[in-house]
Amino acid sequence: MSLVLDPAAQDLLFREARTANTFTDEPVTDEQVRAIYDLVKYGPTSMNQSPLRVTLVRSAEARERLVRHMAEGNQPKTAAAPLVAILSADNEFHEELPHLFPHFPQAKDAVFAERPVREGSAALNAALQAAYFIIGVRAAGLAAGPMTGFDFEGVRKEFLDDDHTPLMVVNIGRPGPDAWFPRSPRLDYEQVVTTV
């Protein structure tokens, strides 16, 4: 059985897509980011909680503040990328549930009254949405450079608040010269899938 998705789209989203390490200076527009979000917002999350929040780092001053918190190896590419996004989990996502999950508006208090429960659910579901976001960047014909090599608490204090937990920083743009490292190996089907 073959996949329904066109092979060229499969290549664009997965087989040929890689984490970019260099970018051209071509800008990434707000319209492109909106188109990415308007596509990936349909990706599923538990109870439609949609806890991902995106902070776009555009100004030179904000970029400088962010680069200070990046691991040394991630600083040059973050400084040079046309756009950088901080992806975080909103631990107060439950406030939106009466709107997002209208057939069970009581979920806000019945399921998510306790902060530790919200934090665990927000982390998992925002991570799902972060993956959708990366695929959306690729669908827009751009490259993404997701990174977790940074001072999480420093980024939270610098750009977020106590209700948001940073997940990753993503450099976004058109790939530049020597943008790709060689593709790393992947596990085979038999190494991953077990039938019981």
Side-chain angles (χ1 to χ4, degrees):
M1 177 180 172
S2 62
L3 299 174
V4 174
L5 187 66
D6 179 79
Q10 295 174 36
D11 289 343
L12 176 70
L13 300 178
F14 293 100
R15 291 190 197 100
E16 300 300 324
R18 310 272 270 290
T19 295
N21 293 289
T22 68
F23 298 90
T24 70
D25 59 3
E26 182 181 332
V28 176
T29 67
D30 288 337
E31 292 77 17
Q32 287 172 300
V33 177
R34 180 175 293 278
I36 291 165
Y37 176 73
D38 284 343
L39 173 65
V40 304
K41 69 183 179 184
Y42 294 108
T45 57
S46 175
M47 299 176 78
N48 199 34
Q49 60 191 251
S50 306
L52 182 72
R53 302 296 179 264
V54 181
T55 303
L56 299 178
V57 181
R58 285 206 179 274
S59 73
E61 179 269 334
R63 183 74 61 98
E64 190 175 297
R65 287 169 34 221
L66 176 60
V67 166
R68 287 196 301 260
H69 296 289
M70 301 303 294
E72 185 176 341
N74 291 333
Q75 289 178 352
K77 53 190 170 186
T78 302
L83 179 63
V84 183
I86 301 168
L87 305 188
S88 64
D90 182 357
N91 296 308
E92 297 298 310
F93 68 87
H94 68 309
E95 296 294 343
E96 302 293 337
L97 283 180
H99 168 69
L100 293 173
F101 205 59
H103 55 283
F104 183 30
Q106 306 88 342
K108 173 184 178 238
D109 298 313
V111 180
F112 296 110
E114 301 294 326
R115 175 73 180 235
V117 173
R118 291 196 306 273
E119 288 177 350
S121 194
L124 172 62
N125 286 281
L128 281 173
Q129 288 187 285
Y132 304 147
F133 184 84
I134 292 166
I135 299 299
V137 169
R138 293 172 174 180
L142 300 170
M147 301 166 291
T148 56
F150 62 91
D151 175 0
F152 280 70
E153 186 59 18
V155 167
R156 188 192 63 74
K157 286 181 178 177
E158 192 81 43
F159 294 95
L160 306 170
D161 59 32
D162 290 339
D163 291 331
H164 293 80
T165 303
L167 300 172
M168 65 182 68
V169 172
V170 183
N171 294 329
I172 304 168
R174 300 253 179 232
D178 301 315
W180 322 114
F181 293 148
R183 185 175 291 286
S184 297
R186 297 297 191 265
L187 296 175
D188 292 329
Y189 178 88
E190 294 74 18
Q191 295 173 282
V192 174
V193 178
T194 304
T195 303
V196 294

